[in-house]
Amino acid sequence: MSHLLTLDGRPAFLLGVNYWSRAGGPRMWERFDAERVRAETDQMRAIGLNVCRSFAFIPSFMPQPGVLAQAPIERLRQFFDICQASGLHTIPSALVGHMSGQNFDFPGQHGRSPYSASEVIEWQVALMRALGTAGAGHPAVAAYLASNEMPLWGGKSSPETIVAWAETLRRALRSADPARPFSLGDGVMNLKGGQNGFDVDALRGTLDFVGPHSYYGDSDPLRQALNVEFCVRSLRYLGLPVLFEEFGCSSNQAGEQEQALYYREVVHSCLSVGAAGALGWCYSDFDLADETPYDHHAFELTFGITRADGSEKPACDELRAVAALLRAVDAATLIPPTPRAAIIVPSYFNTTYPFSWEERDRMRRTLLQAYVLCVKAGFEVELVPEAALANRSYQLLLAPATQKLLSPTWSALLQAARAGATVYWSYFGGDYNFHQGAWCSNFEELTGCRHALRYGCFDLPDDELLLRGDGLALALATKVGARPYPRAVLPIEPLSGHGTVVLAHDQRGRPALTRKRHGAGQMLLLHCPLEYYLAEQSDINARDQSEALYGLLAAAAGLQPTLRSSDPLVQLREVETTDGAPLLWVLNRSWEARAPLIDSPGGGALTIGAPALHAGQTRLALAPKQVAVYRLAGASE
């Protein structure tokens, strides 16, 4: 399956925005101004966008219980015609009961569940079918979404209930338009941890693509910068296209120049990592301060890439630049990188087991921090739920700061090592002072070590933990977090006669990093939650050098980068193509100028302002958040 969706029958990277008209915002269908809408779609196309996401606001489309209003449906058809005339595609979203910080129920819903109340389901089916009828066969319609962030309106439910609800809506759409891709518009909020019922594995057979939404902040700028990739790489294992349906920032949250740099970074991340597209929130600011929801969510008024008066913000120039790149490089020819390393996502991140408690915000930060270390070390990695490991093969498997995996997973890691993988596990003793320690069912066999934990006691490290050996010289601040328990280290010693090697010690002389050979592979154990220590610190990744450990792991697994940057804050990504030499993305992830040495075969620049890239070592002068794209040497110019 292609990682892309199609426009006009051809695979394409969807470059767009979420759209409400300035004439009314969510109430645009009641105040429909065709001339203004035409000017807005023309403007979107002039910016270089090829798609917008549109919305059927429930109060407009069904103002009375069970009765569809015909005028908004006719205006929706007219909107499709206007999009076509502008050369723009659209993705209509049906059940818009949540918008910009407020929920809007169906009239007559009276708090009944949209997932299980039969009458409310009938209303949803009617609206979904009406959208499909309006869009059937229309060349402007690219795909359909069932909702907008449905969990925020409908709440949580069980995966079984959500799958049944989603299947009902899919059938309603297919009865009217059987040809277009379908997804839910839910935002894949389980990427934050927990289970809201919108389980992507359970829904895999119902959806044609998945669409994460993310508005993420972090006290470390590099973690924040890599969050979008982290989300995409957390879903690629599904084998479905991943459309980044929502990202963006209000002018109350970022300056206009800073918004532009954020758009640049997000869109290039999506394009290079293998997403199907990126849709910013949103097209325009609004002059609707007296209307709900903007009267109480004032910051929602200024999310646009254009201002309320129609003028463009600097983000538009960034989108134009990406559109120009897509004219020079056919996205359909890009072959997304296939990582040979994986970060294991414990099932506990989403599943609540009886009498097991987890701090999922902490888990997510730790997983993201591990992703950051992989990027800094220069190798590609994806995130894979432990349940999905059985059908996949990797050279390097990472279990960063992990306390709990299912018992069969620990056995599977041993088998993976015997089959040739390098398996890395850093100890995490738990968030609390009960059920503490490593929940590992085959510890000695897997690690070749014995531990010396004392029940109910915690081996807390010094405030600075030093790791020395095998080319490592790391100093880690460990006095982090609100509780002492997660800081604990694991006292270990190699088992006699097992061939276990100590690769590094801490400053107290204790074994810190060990290696045990298994068949064609190996198991490396770190005695401390290094990734947790880093994940709990602000502005840490610009000065920490723990990527040296991940570089050691990559080398042990045979993952040697072919392209190298001297600066860990400048990411290199090589993307193969079907029609020539590969492309190279050079992404400055810093908000400061950087000047890395790049070791490469050289190549021709495809982006305006990219410094020359010569064969061998080249020092590139990069502006803050600059992205430079090259066709590597050997391609036809």
Side-chain angles (χ1 to χ4, degrees):
M1 174 182 288
S2 172
H3 70 284
L4 298 173
L5 298 170
T6 61
L7 297 178
D8 299 323
R10 279 189 49 78
F13 182 83
L14 303 191
L15 181 66
V17 288
N18 291 263
Y19 171 74
W20 287 120
S21 174
R22 298 185 190 100
R27 296 166 183 84
M28 63 174 282
W29 307 110
E30 301 163 35
R31 308 170 191 170
F32 196 73
D33 183 335
E35 288 306 311
R36 175 172 281 196
V37 169
R38 185 172 291 108
E40 291 170 349
T41 57
D42 284 347
Q43 183 180 39
M44 285 187 272
R45 194 70 189 102
I47 292 167
L49 309 183
N50 56 23
V51 70
C52 69
R53 181 179 171 210
S54 49
F55 301 88
F57 190 46
I58 283 177
S60 299
F61 279 74
M62 194 170 282
Q64 299 178 46
V67 179
L68 282 168
Q70 291 306 305
I73 295 172
E74 292 170 5
R75 290 164 181 166
L76 182 67
R77 292 193 191 101
Q78 186 180 2
F79 172 70
F80 294 160
D81 292 339
I82 291 171
C83 286
Q84 183 184 6
S86 296
L88 190 71
H89 298 80
T90 190
I91 302 174
S93 304
L95 306 173
V96 184
H98 174 82
M99 182 51 56
S100 298
Q102 181 146 333
N103 290 336
F104 299 87
D105 283 358
F106 284 101
Q109 184 174 342
H110 301 311
R112 289 179 291 171
S113 170
Y115 310 132
S116 57
S118 58
E119 185 178 40
V120 181
I121 290 175
E122 289 172 6
W123 299 344
Q124 295 171 79
V125 165
L127 184 49
M128 189 83 245
R129 187 179 292 121
L131 256 69
T133 301
H138 202 293
V141 176
Y144 295 93
L145 295 172
S147 78
N148 179 55
E149 300 186 333
M150 192 71 187
L152 299 183
W153 173 45
K156 298 179 181 180
S157 190
S158 68
E160 295 77 14
T161 297
I162 296 303
V163 168
W165 169 83
E167 288 283 0
T168 297
L169 294 177
R170 180 186 172 95
R171 286 193 298 271
L173 173 66
R174 290 285 185 258
S175 70
D177 188 346
R180 304 287 169 62
F182 168 80
S183 193
L184 292 182
D186 60 290
V188 198
M189 295 180 184
N190 285 342
L191 288 176
K192 300 176 183 178
Q195 178 58 263
N196 61 17
F198 288 77
D199 182 272
V200 289
D201 286 292
L203 288 161
R204 191 189 309 205
T206 304
L207 307 180
D208 298 306
F209 62 98
V210 290
H213 303 182
S214 187
Y215 300 91
Y216 179 73
D218 199 299
S219 63
D220 181 81
L222 187 55
R223 284 197 299 265
Q224 196 282 332
L226 291 170
N227 172 69
V228 166
E229 283 193 10
F230 174 86
C231 292
V232 175
R233 283 273 171 86
S234 295
L235 295 168
R236 288 280 290 153
Y237 78 94
L238 293 166
L240 296 173
V242 181
L243 173 63
F244 217 91
E245 286 174 1
E246 285 191 28
F247 73 93
C249 53
S250 165
S251 294
N252 295 106
Q253 300 170 314
E256 289 188 354
Q257 292 292 341
E258 289 74 19
Q259 179 202 42
L261 296 183
Y262 181 53
Y263 265 72
R264 174 196 293 172
E265 182 170 64
V266 169
V267 176
H268 276 286
S269 293
C270 287
L271 178 58
S272 65
V273 84
L279 309 182
W281 188 280
C282 60
Y283 165 64
S284 184
D285 294 351
F286 302 115
D287 187 12
L288 300 169
D290 295 330
E291 299 187 12
T292 302
Y294 306 111
D295 55 351
H296 56 74
H297 272 60
F299 78 103
E300 294 277 5
L301 287 165
T302 57
F303 264 87
I305 61 167
T306 63
R307 304 180 186 92
D309 64 4
S311 59
E312 295 182 358
K313 296 181 186 179
C316 293
D317 290 333
E318 298 301 332
L319 293 167
R320 277 196 183 87
V322 175
L325 175 63
L326 290 171
R327 289 192 295 273
V329 176
D330 184 353
T333 67
L334 301 181
I335 304 171
T338 301
R340 293 175 290 162
I343 298 169
I344 302 167
V345 181
S347 61
Y348 301 82
F349 183 61
N350 293 114
T351 302
T352 299
Y353 294 101
F355 302 101
S356 179
W357 297 269
E358 355 294 332
E359 293 282 348
R360 292 188 171 116
D361 285 346
R362 186 270 310 158
M363 291 179 75
R364 190 187 191 279
R365 278 194 306 277
T366 298
L367 293 167
L368 176 55
Q369 178 62 48
Y371 187 89
V372 168
L373 290 174
C374 295
V375 171
K376 291 178 70 178
F379 63 92
E380 300 282 359
V381 67
E382 62 188 6
L383 293 101
V384 179
E386 60 174 302
L389 288 173
N391 300 317
R392 308 178 74 85
S393 177
Y394 297 97
Q395 289 175 240
L396 177 60
L397 287 166
L398 303 163
T402 298
Q403 181 192 23
K404 305 173 187 178
L405 296 172
L406 297 176
S407 297
T409 303
W410 293 111
S411 299
L413 292 180
L414 178 57
Q415 293 304 315
R418 288 172 174 166
T422 294
V423 179
Y424 162 79
W425 171 31
S426 59
Y427 172 78
F428 182 75
D431 293 297
Y432 310 109
N433 62 348
F434 57 92
H435 287 182
Q436 71 277 9
W439 292 24
C440 177
S441 51
N442 58 349
F443 180 85
E444 292 192 358
E445 183 182 18
L446 179 64
T447 67
C449 294
R450 68 172 293 273
H451 68 76
L453 287 171
R454 301 162 295 155
Y455 179 72
C457 300
F458 297 86
D459 294 273
L460 299 180
D462 297 335
D463 289 352
E464 184 177 65
L465 181 62
L466 305 179
L467 301 181
R468 297 286 186 268
D470 203 31
L472 290 177
L474 302 180
L476 303 168
T478 72
K479 198 172 183 179
V480 299
R483 293 184 294 269
Y485 317 115
R487 300 174 52 212
V489 302
L490 181 67
I492 53 175
E493 60 182 46
L495 286 168
S496 176
H498 282 65
T500 308
V501 177
V502 178
L503 301 178
H505 294 82
D506 65 18
Q507 72 263 43
R508 298 189 190 180
R510 297 174 298 194
L513 179 66
T514 62
R515 181 184 65 215
K516 171 73 171 74
R517 301 284 187 187
H518 292 287
Q522 56 195 326
M523 167 74 202
L524 283 86
L525 172 67
L526 184 66
H527 82 326
C528 65
L530 174 143
E531 298 83 2
Y532 165 74
Y533 296 152
L534 299 176
E536 298 303 305
Q537 296 183 60
S538 301
D539 298 304
I540 184 63
N541 283 297
R543 62 182 189 274
D544 176 73
Q545 298 179 346
S546 294
E547 69 271 10
L549 170 63
Y550 274 52
L552 181 153
L553 298 173
L559 300 178
Q560 297 291 344
T562 57
L563 304 166
R564 289 179 173 81
S565 166
S566 65
D567 187 337
L569 300 186
V570 175
Q571 181 183 11
L572 305 183
R573 170 164 291 133
E574 185 175 355
V575 178
E576 298 288 338
T577 67
T578 60
D579 65 348
L583 305 186
L584 172 64
W585 263 262
V586 180
L587 302 105
N588 178 10
R589 296 296 189 173
S590 173
W591 287 98
E592 299 177 353
R594 312 294 291 191
L597 276 173
I598 305 297
D599 193 355
S600 78
L606 296 172
T607 47
I608 295 174
L613 181 68
H614 304 293
Q617 287 196 339
T618 305
R619 187 170 296 281
L620 298 185
L622 300 174
K625 294 292 183 181
Q626 184 171 354
V627 176
V629 183
Y630 303 89
R631 189 178 295 280
L632 290 176
S636 58
E637 299 296 335

